Amino acid sequence: MENKGTENGAFSFARSESIGGRKYGLAKIQTQQEKPNEVCHDDSVPPVRAQTIDELHSLQKKKSAPTTPIRGTHGAFSAMSEEERHRQQLQSISASLASLTRETGPKVVKGDPARTAESPRVTHVGHHSYAPSFGISDSALKFTHVLYNLSPAELYEQAIKYEKGSFITSTGALATLSGAKTGRAPRDKRVVRDETTEDELWWGKGSPNIEMDEHTFLVNRERAVDYLNSLDKVYVNDQFLNWDPEHRIKVRIVSARAYHSLFMHNMCIRPTPEELEDFGTPDFTIYNAGQFPCNRYTHHMTSSTSIDLNLARREMVILGTQYAGEMKKGLFSVTHYLMPRRQILSLHSGCNVGKDGDVALFFGLSGTGKTTLSTDHNRFLIGDDEHCWSDNGVSNIEGGCYAKCIDLSREKEPDIWNAIKFGTVVENVVFDEHTREVDYSDKSVTENTRAAYPIEYIPNAKLPCVGPHPKNVILLACDAFGVLPPVSKLSLAQTMYHFISGYTALVAGTEDGIKEPQATFSACFGAAFIMLHPTKYAAMLAEKMQKHGATGWLVNTGWSGGSYGSGNRMKLAYTRKIIDAIHSGTLLTTSYTKTEVFGLDIPTEIEGVPSEILNPINTWQDKKAYKDTLLKLGGLFKKNFEGFLHYKIGKDNNLTEEILAAGPIF
């Protein structure tokens, strides 16, 4: 049967070809042209301005906007050509990657090697590459491609294409794996002990600073630099620490993974194009060669992991761990050293500010409610973890937040939940293989699942992240012994004592299944990161509080009416009422009574909080058990403080004695 088109139709079906009477294939389409030699095409839209597919792809992406105009001649790169500025920038990166034995850096070129048709010639040293001259070696025969300050979108592409275990979740976040290490390795952290740090840093029992010598650091640095230079490409981030522009620190992070680059893009302060033009030489450099192990036969090495700080060289080397938190906390340790030298106090705390400009600092170990209580929709968030207190006021050290994800829910933590979107890194989470929806309750990889996102992802973040001098300093403790009051007003000496103690109590399971409280002390509420003796930080805190009229508070978010197992957890609603009363200033005008042993001043009434729970002895039915438990906790405080008794500040020991007198007495 033959299908014929209409008389004026454009085409008709021809008969199918047949061989031996059998039909094969489809009918041929015959077109009819109304005019001879006319090309048949779709002219509903103009044709693309490309002759080849490569040319079409080149049209898809346009060049970034021109570099920001240089202001006058004040910047490091001011009053020079665009080409010269790029050359100096690459020269600076090459210098960062320099081998100390060869005294020169590698040849570096900007861009992804996968998109480069052929390697640039050595003779060409333009605004895209820098090629230093040095003796012939394998490293002299190759270029190291530098992926410099890439955007989140570019880093997503790199991670998805080149890093196994990288996926995009259903909300748009980048899910990654940190390898064998899913948390920090404090026992593998080393600090170079030299003529300067010998006297300045806190060494010995109780100190987080484990020493290494200069030579061993250089061995590990050389190992890290050689590894990074052996790669086809490295990621370089130039960013800032500290939102106070007068005291900010320029940091450079050289890493081998897009995951690490995006993590630090989120966690450090992101420079504007103009600030990047004037960046110049960094104040501190991180070499993250975490995929490559250290040599266990190297002196001071106890495993294949080593995180090394050299404060004199202003460098940090990471070997044998891909956990990104090492970079964040390593830089925090650096600020704990550099800032006090400028009479600036670095603090492991949350910080928020009210609409009237009243700033509050929140200190607390894990599980005390620091994140929950510092996140208040009636106040602006300055930061969730790391801050500086200078003569200018408070400032956030970081440009992002690093939130725990385990058991995260939209109802309990809506701000964190909503922040996990495009641009956010989620570490070690488990997700549905089809929908990519994350199961935040799943601990298959680790319980320490995390999300790193820019602070502007929090709706009530205060930008820039700075504020006036604090009015209130709130020390949080989750007392599972149930003997500390819900809130106490502290004297300056008491604030120093409890700040140095850094107390909370965890609920730990024993072998026979019975759970009991376990006291935990972390000096300055962040012992793992401090570099100087805790008393120095405490003295600075008291000095600033006295100078600016701040009040210290001890808030118990733990148990009431008995220890864990017999008492009850303090209701969050009551704790929020207490915090509200601190912010409003009403707690300063109420009457107080003093407790036994710890000598704490406790208010007699707070609006919205039952008066009977304000004094813990009232909530215990067994008064003897209360006193025994109170003495037990007091003894634990005393034992912990023995490690700080023999440290002197100044010519005498008066300050230490004053702090000690503010502790438990019995």
Side-chain angles (χ1 to χ4, degrees):
M1 179 179 177
E2 183 177 347
N3 285 326
K4 294 182 179 180
T6 59
E7 292 183 5
N8 297 324
F11 70 91
S12 64
F13 284 115
R15 295 176 182 267
S16 300
E17 293 185 7
S18 62
I19 300 176
R22 298 176 64 182
K23 293 184 178 181
Y24 290 89
L26 297 174
K28 289 183 178 179
I29 297 177
Q30 294 181 342
T31 60
Q32 288 182 312
Q33 298 178 6
E34 294 182 0
K35 296 180 181 180
N37 301 323
E38 183 178 351
V39 178
C40 180
H41 61 79
D42 179 4
D43 57 359
S44 59
V45 293
V48 295
R49 299 173 182 174
Q51 300 299 316
T52 66
I53 193 67
D54 288 339
E55 190 177 341
L56 177 61
H57 287 170
S58 71
L59 295 175
Q60 186 181 22
K61 289 179 288 187
K62 66 177 183 178
K63 293 288 185 183
S64 296
T67 50
T68 311
I70 301 299
R71 307 155 302 188
T73 57
H74 303 298
F77 292 145
S78 301
M80 64 175 66
S81 68
E82 186 75 12
E83 184 169 331
E84 176 65 13
R85 192 154 45 245
H86 276 281
R87 193 190 71 81
Q88 289 203 13
Q89 188 181 68
L90 289 173
Q91 191 171 358
S92 172
I93 294 170
S94 178
S96 291
L97 285 165
S99 161
L100 298 177
T101 55
R102 292 185 289 273
E103 296 183 352
T104 187
K107 296 182 293 187
V108 293
V109 58
K110 276 192 177 181
D112 186 349
R115 296 176 183 170
T116 304
E118 60 181 25
S119 297
R121 296 182 180 179
V122 178
T123 53
H124 175 69
V125 185
H127 69 280
H128 291 302
S129 65
Y130 171 69
S133 58
F134 49 85
I136 295 299
S137 67
D138 284 349
S139 60
L141 300 177
K142 65 178 285 292
F143 275 83
T144 298
H145 288 75
V146 174
L147 301 181
Y148 183 71
N149 275 42
L150 295 191
S151 69
E154 292 172 304
L155 290 168
Y156 265 52
E157 292 166 4
Q158 290 288 325
I160 297 298
K161 190 172 182 179
Y162 300 111
E163 296 179 13
K164 192 173 181 180
S166 298
F167 299 89
I168 300 176
T169 71
S170 61
T171 62
L174 179 69
T176 65
L177 292 172
S178 64
K181 296 291 177 72
T182 58
R184 289 183 299 104
R187 294 180 182 177
D188 294 313
K189 182 182 172 185
R190 300 289 183 269
V191 182
V192 173
R193 188 166 184 166
D194 53 27
E195 293 179 358
T196 303
T197 58
E198 172 78 33
D199 298 324
E200 287 186 332
L201 299 195
W202 178 28
W203 303 103
K205 185 179 178 181
S207 167
N209 303 316
I210 305 172
E211 67 178 86
M212 78 185 310
D213 59 80
E214 172 88 5
H215 175 77
T216 303
F217 173 85
L218 296 179
V219 169
N220 281 355
R221 182 195 185 278
E222 194 78 352
R223 191 173 177 90
V225 166
D226 282 348
Y227 169 75
L228 292 167
N229 287 338
S230 73
L231 303 175
D232 287 336
K233 62 186 176 187
V234 294
Y235 300 89
V236 177
N237 293 40
D238 280 349
Q239 297 182 252
F240 298 116
L241 297 178
N242 196 353
W243 282 83
D244 181 351
E246 189 178 334
H247 301 294
R248 72 183 180 187
I249 301 171
K250 297 185 292 183
V251 294
R252 172 168 292 165
I253 304 101
V254 185
S255 58
R257 291 192 62 182
Y259 148 51
H260 291 149
S261 185
L262 180 57
F263 177 91
M264 294 307 279
H265 170 89
N266 291 346
M267 294 310 303
C268 293
I269 298 167
R270 294 156 289 282
T272 65
E274 186 176 32
E275 289 170 334
L276 210 52
E277 294 285 1
D278 285 343
F279 193 85
T281 304
D283 300 316
F284 198 88
T285 304
I286 292 179
Y287 300 97
N288 189 341
Q291 290 168 290
F292 198 65
C294 66
N295 187 337
R296 298 190 192 199
Y297 285 100
T298 306
H299 190 42
H300 297 293
M301 300 299 101
T302 54
S303 75
S304 59
T305 298
S306 192
I307 303 100
D308 309 326
L309 277 176
N310 189 325
L311 297 171
R313 290 186 58 87
R314 306 289 178 91
E315 292 178 337
M316 176 181 177
V317 170
I318 298 175
L319 291 164
T321 174
Q322 297 179 63
Y323 181 66
E326 294 288 9
M327 294 182 287
K328 164 188 159 67
K329 289 305 185 185
L331 289 176
F332 191 32
S333 295
V334 171
T335 60
H336 270 312
Y337 172 72
L338 295 178
M339 290 303 171
R341 301 180 92 193
R342 305 181 187 181
Q343 301 307 307
I344 298 170
L345 179 59
S346 51
L347 301 164
H348 188 211
S349 69
C351 182
N352 65 25
V353 58
K355 293 177 175 62
D356 296 327
D358 57 299
V359 170
L361 294 172
F362 292 83
F363 295 89
L365 302 180
S366 179
T368 59
K370 181 181 71 170
T371 302
T372 301
L373 295 172
S374 61
T375 304
D376 187 332
H377 290 142
N378 296 316
R379 298 171 66 82
F380 298 105
L381 181 71
I382 292 177
D384 73 328
D385 196 43
E386 303 174 10
H387 293 87
C388 284
W389 189 351
S390 70
D391 289 340
N392 300 331
V394 292
S395 56
N396 191 348
I397 293 173
E398 302 179 295
C401 302
Y402 194 33
K404 292 180 180 177
C405 289
I406 194 67
D407 295 326
L408 179 69
S409 69
R410 189 195 301 266
E411 294 73 30
K412 291 182 180 178
E413 301 286 357
D415 286 346
I416 297 175
W417 179 277
N418 293 327
I420 300 177
K421 57 185 180 181
F422 180 81
T424 297
V425 178
V426 282
E427 292 177 326
N428 302 316
V429 297
V430 177
F431 49 83
D432 184 278
E433 65 178 357
H434 175 59
T435 65
R436 298 293 196 262
E437 290 184 6
V438 177
D439 181 357
Y440 291 109
S441 64
D442 197 314
K443 307 173 186 176
S444 298
V445 179
T446 178
E447 190 169 333
N448 187 35
T449 52
R450 297 269 184 165
Y453 48 86
I455 194 166
E456 54 263 33
Y457 282 16
I458 299 296
N460 64 326
K462 182 185 181 301
L463 297 171
C465 303
V466 296
H469 296 286
K471 285 182 62 177
N472 294 293
V473 175
I474 301 169
L475 312 183
L476 301 170
C478 177
D479 178 28
F481 291 97
V483 295
L484 290 182
V487 61
S488 316
K489 185 173 70 171
L490 303 175
S491 65
L492 278 178
Q494 285 176 322
T495 303
M496 295 170 75
Y497 182 89
H498 288 279
F499 178 70
I500 292 173
S501 297
Y503 164 72
T504 194
L506 306 177
V507 178
T510 56
E511 290 182 7
D512 58 3
I514 300 172
K515 293 184 177 181
E516 59 182 18
Q518 183 180 15
T520 299
F521 296 93
S522 182
C524 307
F525 293 94
F529 321 118
I530 60 177
M531 304 294 284
L532 313 180
H533 193 276
T535 312
K536 289 190 176 182
Y537 298 106
M540 289 185 70
L541 177 63
E543 180 185 352
K544 290 184 180 296
M545 288 178 66
Q546 188 172 35
K547 181 178 180 180
H548 301 289
T551 306
W553 306 90
L554 180 63
V555 174
N556 174 22
T557 62
W559 271 256
S560 175
S563 299
Y564 177 85
S566 59
N568 297 305
R569 185 76 189 257
M570 202 76 63
K571 289 185 178 180
L572 179 59
Y574 292 160
T575 304
R576 286 200 181 278
K577 288 288 185 183
I578 290 169
I579 299 297
D580 289 344
I582 291 173
H583 290 323
S584 67
T586 56
L587 269 190
L588 292 175
T589 59
T590 191
S591 56
Y592 285 83
T593 60
K594 197 173 286 289
T595 67
E596 296 179 301
V597 181
F598 281 90
L600 299 170
D601 289 330
I602 55 176
T604 55
E605 60 178 352
I606 301 174
E607 185 180 349
V609 182
S611 297
E612 59 269 17
I613 74 167
L614 295 177
N615 192 334
I617 194 171
N618 297 333
T619 63
W620 283 63
Q621 291 184 350
D622 189 338
K623 307 301 182 188
K624 183 179 183 302
Y626 165 77
K627 291 187 178 180
D628 290 345
T629 308
L630 182 63
L631 290 172
K632 179 182 178 181
L633 183 60
L636 293 172
F637 266 83
K638 279 192 168 186
K639 183 179 179 181
N640 172 70
F641 217 82
E642 288 174 0
F644 310 118
L645 293 180
H646 306 294
Y647 191 84
K648 294 181 180 180
I649 292 184
K651 297 181 180 180
D652 53 45
N653 208 30
N654 291 343
L655 181 59
T656 304
E657 291 174 357
E658 183 183 348
I659 297 171
L660 185 62
I665 299 173
F666 57 95

